[in-house]
Amino acid sequence: MTTDPAPTIMAHKAAFRPEMSALDEYEPILPVEVLSQRYGVPPEQIVKLDGNENPYGCSPRVRKLLAQAPVHLYPDPEHREARHLLAAYVGMGAEHIVLGNGSDELIDLVVRLTLRPGERVLDCVPTFGMYRFYTQLAGGEVVAVPRDGGYDVDVAAVKARIDGRTRILFLAAPNNPTGNPLSLEALGELLATGLLVVLDEAYYEFSGLTAVPWVAQHENLVVLRTFSKWAGLAGLRVGYGIFPTPISRQLWRIKSPYNVNAAAQWAVCESLKDAGYLQENVRRLVAERERLYRALGGISFLEPFPSAANFVYCRVHGRSAAAVHEALARRGIMVRYFDTSLLRQGLRISVGKPEHTEALLAALGAIEKEAP
Ligand SMILES: *Cc1c(COP(=O)(O)O)cnc(C)c1O
């Protein structure tokens, strides 16, 4: 007896929600093993400056703890200890804090909590792709408002695009991939619109700038943070948000009970207990960021932008950024290239250890000598 699966697959396809097939594709970074195969470079020789990951890794105390952790037990669905420690870290009560499976999950939850199909989200482009992704997934409409020439949010343009269907404004500060912060003056003006403002402070520890205290005074402000970058926990997927209590209470009701796994919760607690160690690495990365920024300015075809995060964005002049990306990759150096109209001539380079900067600069110097 033979069965033909094709008709079943077709039947399912016909049943998809239209917004699912209309999704723009998100191009994620590739795992080291895949990069190694693609470019013929041994995995241990790859210099990974494409994911804004922490080259110093997580706290050694996290490693030790995870080796002994009782993984056969379900994690605390209310994240009690993590929220207790986070409350002290952020200076707001634990009732304002919700943890997510990466701050990505919190973007998803906030959108699903507030956006009705057909309603609009303002996205200050170029910026982090997940705001667009989750809005489309929820059947919402993304209104892209271009930033100005220095990548600052164009406050007047944002205000001009608000209509009766607009619900959420996403702001990454510092912005990814451009690295620039957001002024509190601009934030104040944007909060006065009454839109729900989701301020993404994924790089807070590198910028030292935060609007968390404003959450107590603004019921339309949400601040998102993550342990992926400063704490070196990208692989464990854990982020958190600071919310006005009416929002945090509703989020508790819609989140998956075990959204943050046990390893991630322990890692959060241990990271906060070892914050001094992690902050020392943050200081190293900030110093290296400044050195990298200056050195990139010395490469004839690069125009680096000042950054308050753990990466430096560069515009490429006189040659194609895609070609520079490929030429670096062939030498084992991975940086981020975005094939979108606003970013096609740019590269985002994560800050690594000093030796990673050296390898990058040597490769760029060699590329400089080649014909464009
Ligand atoms: C990296 C990043 C995140 C994602 O954080 P996760 O906690 O790893 O999901 C969110 N926002 C911005 C702007 C980022 O760059």
Side-chain angles (χ1 to χ4, degrees):
M1 201 177 79
T2 60
T3 52
D4 179 7
T8 324
I9 290 167
M10 290 310 290
H12 278 99
K13 203 168 182 181
F16 290 166
R17 289 165 55 202
E19 52 268 42
M20 298 297 110
S21 8
L23 276 182
D24 289 339
E25 226 165 296
Y26 179 74
E27 217 182 297
I29 50 171
L30 297 168
V32 169
E33 300 70 35
V34 177
L35 291 168
S36 164
Q37 284 225 328
R38 177 177 294 187
Y39 295 104
V41 180
E44 65 281 2
Q45 279 175 32
I46 286 183
V47 176
K48 203 169 176 315
L49 304 177
D50 59 354
N52 300 343
E53 292 139 330
N54 195 320
Y56 295 100
C58 66
S59 151
R61 285 176 51 172
V62 168
R63 278 195 180 290
K64 214 165 138 200
L65 181 80
L66 290 184
Q68 315 155 351
V71 291
H72 61 294
L73 299 176
Y74 280 102
D76 175 8
E78 294 186 34
H79 319 142
R80 287 172 183 85
E81 195 191 353
R83 281 164 61 227
H84 173 74
L85 293 169
L86 273 170
Y89 181 70
V90 304
M92 293 279 287
E95 70 279 10
H96 291 282
I97 298 169
V98 180
L99 276 78
N101 190 279
S103 56
D104 283 357
E105 187 195 18
L106 295 168
I107 298 169
D108 184 23
L109 287 176
V110 168
V111 168
R112 284 201 276 160
L113 181 66
T114 56
L115 201 73
R116 292 142 188 85
E119 287 187 334
R120 292 180 171 158
V121 162
L122 297 182
D123 197 25
C124 300
V125 293
T127 192
F128 189 52
M130 290 292 109
Y131 314 139
R132 161 177 287 271
F133 175 80
Y134 288 118
T135 299
Q136 293 181 334
L137 205 55
E141 207 179 289
V142 180
V143 176
V145 186
R147 290 164 177 264
D148 70 14
Y151 299 115
D152 281 327
V153 173
D154 186 339
V155 175
V158 168
K159 287 195 195 167
R161 299 302 300 273
I162 299 172
D163 65 12
R165 285 200 285 157
T166 315
R167 286 222 164 244
I168 310 177
L169 167 63
F170 278 103
L171 297 168
N175 188 41
N176 179 2
T178 56
N180 54 310
L182 174 77
S183 75
L184 284 180
E185 189 194 345
L187 178 64
E189 213 177 317
L190 293 165
L191 281 168
T193 61
L195 292 177
L196 176 62
V197 174
V198 179
L199 183 69
D200 186 343
E201 293 186 350
Y203 300 95
Y204 155 68
E205 283 76 7
F206 301 98
S207 74
L209 304 168
T210 183
V212 161
W214 289 30
V215 175
Q217 286 107 45
H218 295 86
E219 58 184 17
N220 60 329
L221 175 63
V222 160
V223 177
L224 303 183
R225 301 255 191 96
T226 179
F227 279 79
S228 294
K229 283 48 186 259
W230 78 287
L233 299 182
L236 286 182
R237 313 300 306 123
V238 58
Y240 63 101
I242 300 103
F243 302 88
T245 47
I247 301 179
S248 55
R249 266 190 236 119
Q250 285 298 324
L251 286 174
W252 282 111
R253 302 175 58 185
I254 69 165
K255 83 167 185 68
S256 305
Y258 302 121
N259 63 329
V260 181
N261 69 54
Q265 289 193 45
W266 292 316
V268 161
C269 296
E270 207 61 18
S271 296
L272 291 171
K273 291 175 191 163
D274 202 16
Y277 169 88
L278 292 169
Q279 277 153 0
E280 191 50 46
N281 289 338
V282 167
R283 271 192 289 277
R284 284 193 183 98
L285 289 166
V286 168
E288 192 61 17
R289 172 185 79 203
E290 297 312 307
R291 186 172 87 93
L292 175 67
Y293 169 74
R294 282 192 302 274
L296 291 172
I299 303 292
S300 56
F301 56 85
L302 293 181
E303 179 196 0
F305 283 72
S307 169
N310 66 342
F311 53 85
V312 176
Y313 183 74
C314 298
R315 269 192 213 145
V316 180
H317 298 287
R319 27 181 113 202
S320 112
V324 176
H325 170 262
E326 275 301 298
L328 285 172
R330 283 197 306 272
R331 290 169 167 86
I333 295 169
M334 307 302 154
V335 302
R336 191 77 155 103
Y337 169 69
F338 302 89
D339 191 8
T340 66
S341 57
L342 285 175
L343 297 170
R344 193 151 291 138
Q345 264 313 86
L347 295 174
R348 189 195 68 194
I349 305 175
S350 306
V351 179
K353 295 179 177 177
E355 60 264 36
H356 300 146
T357 303
E358 293 314 320
L360 169 74
L361 294 173
L364 286 170
I367 293 167
E368 213 170 17
K369 293 196 186 83
E370 294 169 359

